[in-house]
Amino acid sequence: MSQRVRPRIAVVTDSAADIPPHILEEYEIHIEPLILIMGSETLRDGVDIDPPAFYELLRTSSGFPTTSQPTVASFVERFSKVSQGKDGVVAVLVSDELSGTLDSAKAAAEKLPDIPIALVDSRSASMQLGFTVLAAARAAMAGAGLEEVAAEARALVGKTYVYFMVDTLEYLHRGGRIGAAARLFGSALNLKPILEFRDGTIQPVAKIRTRRKALERVFTLMEEDLGEGHKVHMAVLNIAAQEEADDLTQQLQERFQPVEMLQLECSPVV
């Protein structure tokens, strides 16, 4: 039996990537947790709190959480640790327009001049970021060097897509994404907003009156993005909606025949 080749390059991302734990382990991807602030508590995403606990906290708490990027010191520690025995580090991180995470990583890299570090702004979040990270990690596993691994990630920037829909506008309002008037208007009409991550930010796509019609619109948007003959990698993410996620996964598999399909819960910071 041939011995597994160890990658020469360490691949780092942050917890906004939403990559399932078994894939993190398989591809030796290192996660730097973003910070969740809930009242007086400071929690590391995916370390001090998991999705089910966070969702319950959202339901029962009168306050609303905020997030913060990892510190420069935490990135210095991460890069120093994962670079041991490697030729360098590639860090593929959440959109610079959504978080200051990339700034912290840049400052950390400047403090480590002896370690080759390449930073990639994914211009994305969630598994849109995750698939970009996976491209880098798979290249590293194949033995690619620093610039090749970084190039694999950069080649996917702008070529991955996230569409999402919510059943209530309450949390978009509480999080400052929409105003009170929009929340009341949308709730009264029972609108299901479709949003997307594009060009590094969250943007509205459409407002549909029913969940079924909203999902059909998402499928149409996906077909427009994909075009003909493309092999597609997909992920279904849910927020305390496992049954709906199972149903959506089945529909996507039947309609698009993806070469890779993942299913998971959204991380608290997302």
Side-chain angles (χ1 to χ4, degrees):
M1 183 180 294
S2 62
Q3 189 174 9
R4 180 179 175 180
V5 176
R6 302 289 295 179
R8 298 156 47 203
I9 304 300
V11 175
V12 175
T13 189
D14 55 73
S15 61
D18 277 337
I19 301 172
H22 71 279
I23 292 184
L24 294 175
E25 182 177 358
E26 179 181 359
Y27 290 99
E28 299 185 17
I29 299 168
H30 305 275
I31 295 287
E32 185 60 38
L34 274 71
I35 306 300
L36 191 73
I37 303 168
M38 195 75 178
S40 61
E41 285 192 283
T42 299
L43 307 167
R44 291 168 297 171
D45 184 28
V47 178
D48 301 319
I49 191 166
D50 61 10
F54 177 71
Y55 302 154
E56 182 59 29
L57 197 62
L58 271 186
R59 292 190 188 98
T60 58
S61 175
S62 59
F64 199 80
T66 58
T67 59
S68 180
Q69 70 265 29
T71 65
V72 175
S74 66
F75 268 120
V76 167
E77 182 179 357
R78 180 74 58 185
F79 291 157
S80 298
K81 182 177 180 180
V82 304
S83 65
Q84 294 180 18
K86 304 290 185 182
D87 293 343
V89 178
V90 172
V92 186
L93 303 170
V94 65
S95 171
D96 192 37
E97 294 193 43
L98 293 175
S99 169
T101 299
L102 187 63
D103 289 337
S104 291
K106 286 178 179 177
E110 290 172 359
K111 292 178 178 292
L112 299 167
D114 295 333
I115 301 175
I117 299 172
L119 303 176
V120 179
D121 180 357
S122 71
R123 306 280 295 164
S124 61
S126 192
M127 270 306 297
Q128 185 183 26
L129 162 59
F131 280 126
T132 306
V133 175
L134 268 174
R138 285 167 172 155
M141 280 291 182
L146 184 79
E147 293 306 322
E148 294 171 287
V149 171
E152 285 294 318
R154 293 189 180 111
L156 273 188
V157 175
K159 296 179 181 178
T160 56
Y161 307 90
V162 170
Y163 292 105
F164 61 103
M165 184 184 72
V166 294
D167 280 329
T168 174
L169 297 171
E170 176 64 24
Y171 296 105
L172 288 173
H173 169 60
R174 291 174 66 184
R177 297 294 181 186
I178 62 173
R183 177 183 67 85
L184 290 172
F185 182 73
S187 299
L189 294 178
N190 195 30
L191 294 176
K192 307 298 182 188
I194 300 172
L195 304 103
E196 65 175 337
F197 282 118
R198 191 177 291 272
D199 297 327
T201 61
I202 297 171
Q203 299 182 19
V205 177
K207 296 176 183 178
I208 311 296
R209 291 294 292 270
T210 69
R211 182 178 183 275
R212 181 185 63 80
K213 289 182 179 179
L215 281 177
E216 187 58 39
R217 179 64 179 276
V218 169
F219 290 163
T220 301
L221 289 166
M222 291 172 63
E223 288 169 342
E224 292 172 357
D225 287 331
L226 292 172
E228 295 290 334
H230 290 287
K231 294 181 179 179
V232 60
H233 300 250
M234 290 185 173
V236 173
L237 295 97
N238 78 90
I239 299 175
Q242 188 60 54
E243 186 175 340
E244 291 91 335
D246 292 338
D247 180 60
L248 179 56
T249 298
Q250 183 177 345
Q251 292 183 60
L252 289 169
Q253 288 175 323
E254 292 172 355
R255 188 155 176 168
F256 294 96
Q257 291 86 47
V259 297
E260 180 178 30
M261 171 61 81
L262 305 175
Q263 190 188 118
L264 57 150
E265 290 185 298
C266 283
S267 70
V269 294
V270 171

